[in-house]
Amino acid sequence: MATHLLYQTAGYLSEFQSRVRSMDLENRLIELDQTAFYPGGGGQPCDFGMIEAGDVVYPVTRVRKMGDLVFHQVGGDAPLPEITTSVRGVLDWPRRFRLMRTHTALHILCGVVFRDYGALVTGGDMEPLQGRMDFEFESLHKDLVQVIEAAVNREVEAARKVNVSILPREQAFQIPDLIRTKINLLPEGIAHVRVVEIQGLDLQADGGTHVQDTTEVGAIRVVDYKSKGKINKRIYIQLQE
Ligand SMILES: [Zn+2]
């Protein structure tokens, strides 16, 4: 049975109760019946934190999704908890919240660049408080960087709400704005599509975690850009602590 992904609907959950469903002793992996740990994906790195089982604390050093299941890789050398043990998960919240702000900042950037220049995103990556996005953006030049930075910060200050919904595939496919984010690349078998909307600015099929309101992102600096060829351009951003 699939792991219940608490972070999909409760992005601000930093602690949770769960039960051990299976483990891989050799690789020190623990599978839980539900988790708030983001396993990484869509450019957002996985969460860190700890899993507590009674008096034993296991540092979570990596989280990954394999098929429908989320596995928590733990450090230390304490024997792993037995199957069905009740445990508490605690995220490294400062790191996760920075990633939520950074991820939302990248969506603001991509919404602004599409709205103002019609440029499509081809990829992206992030670390806490910094990220980059690649665009098909032939007309990008140096002077535009400041214009884009100002436009992005206007959207931060506009306090736009960020809404998450999980829609049946057919319904999601009828939203014209979603098509540009390559929703058609989603595997056939996926029955539901998680949609992240920055109200009035950006709409994407997305599995990541985001803040609820753009003001939580804080000021965004566009720190650099690079040409990756005539058409492909990469824009780098940085957030404040
Ligand atoms: Zn995203």
Side-chain angles (χ1 to χ4, degrees):
M1 201 170 55
T3 310
H4 181 47
L5 309 175
L6 297 164
Y7 60 82
Q8 284 207 329
T9 50
Y12 285 75
L13 192 65
S14 63
E15 295 185 20
F16 62 98
Q17 292 290 331
S18 189
R19 244 171 230 289
V20 176
R21 204 147 62 178
S22 79
M23 76 269 286
D24 170 343
L25 293 175
E26 196 182 333
N27 298 303
R28 292 185 69 76
L29 303 178
I30 300 176
E31 182 208 346
L32 302 175
D33 59 5
Q34 57 176 7
T35 190
F37 282 92
Y38 186 66
Q44 183 180 335
C46 75
D47 288 327
F48 300 144
M50 57 190 180
I51 291 173
E52 299 172 355
D55 294 340
V56 188
V57 177
Y58 303 89
V60 174
T61 54
R62 195 181 161 193
V63 186
R64 47 186 158 151
K65 201 154 177 246
M66 291 184 252
D68 283 344
L69 305 178
V70 175
F71 289 90
H72 308 75
Q73 184 156 37
V74 297
D77 49 18
L80 297 189
E82 305 277 319
I83 289 170
T84 76
T85 302
S86 173
V87 299
R88 193 167 81 106
V90 182
L91 305 195
D92 173 349
W93 184 250
R95 171 185 158 85
R96 154 62 99 72
F97 189 60
R98 285 179 183 137
L99 287 166
M100 286 163 62
R101 290 170 55 211
T102 309
H103 199 156
T104 306
L106 289 170
H107 282 218
I108 294 171
L109 174 67
C110 117
V112 163
V113 167
F114 181 73
R115 180 195 65 196
D116 297 351
Y117 307 97
L120 290 171
V121 171
T122 58
D125 205 7
M126 75 195 84
E127 288 297 322
L129 304 181
Q130 53 187 332
R132 63 161 175 85
M133 290 229 101
D134 294 336
F135 296 93
E136 290 174 356
F137 195 171
E138 191 171 0
S139 65
L140 179 64
H141 56 89
K142 197 162 167 268
D143 298 343
L144 273 187
V145 168
Q146 281 183 337
V147 177
I148 293 169
E149 183 177 275
V152 161
N153 283 300
R154 274 196 298 276
E155 299 306 331
V156 170
E157 286 153 23
R160 291 188 183 274
K161 295 277 168 268
V162 183
N163 303 317
V164 175
S165 47
I166 296 174
L167 304 176
R169 184 189 181 94
E170 285 66 37
Q171 198 181 331
F173 269 72
Q174 283 162 16
I175 303 173
D177 278 3
L178 273 187
I179 304 301
R180 72 179 166 90
T181 64
K182 301 188 168 72
I183 190 178
N184 46 337
L185 298 181
L186 289 177
E188 286 275 327
I190 292 182
H192 289 86
V193 180
R194 185 169 175 275
V195 174
V196 176
E197 176 195 32
I198 301 178
Q199 241 173 31
L201 182 66
D202 186 64
L203 193 64
Q204 296 192 34
D206 194 287
T209 60
H210 294 266
V211 294
Q212 288 174 329
D213 180 304
T214 56
T215 54
E216 289 186 78
V217 171
I220 299 171
R221 281 209 309 137
V222 176
V223 287
D224 200 8
Y225 86 101
K226 269 192 190 118
S227 268
K228 313 289 287 178
K230 189 172 180 309
I231 295 183
N232 295 308
K233 307 288 155 70
R234 178 170 286 179
I235 297 178
Y236 297 85
I237 62 162
Q238 223 164 61
L239 275 63
Q240 293 173 339
E241 275 295 320

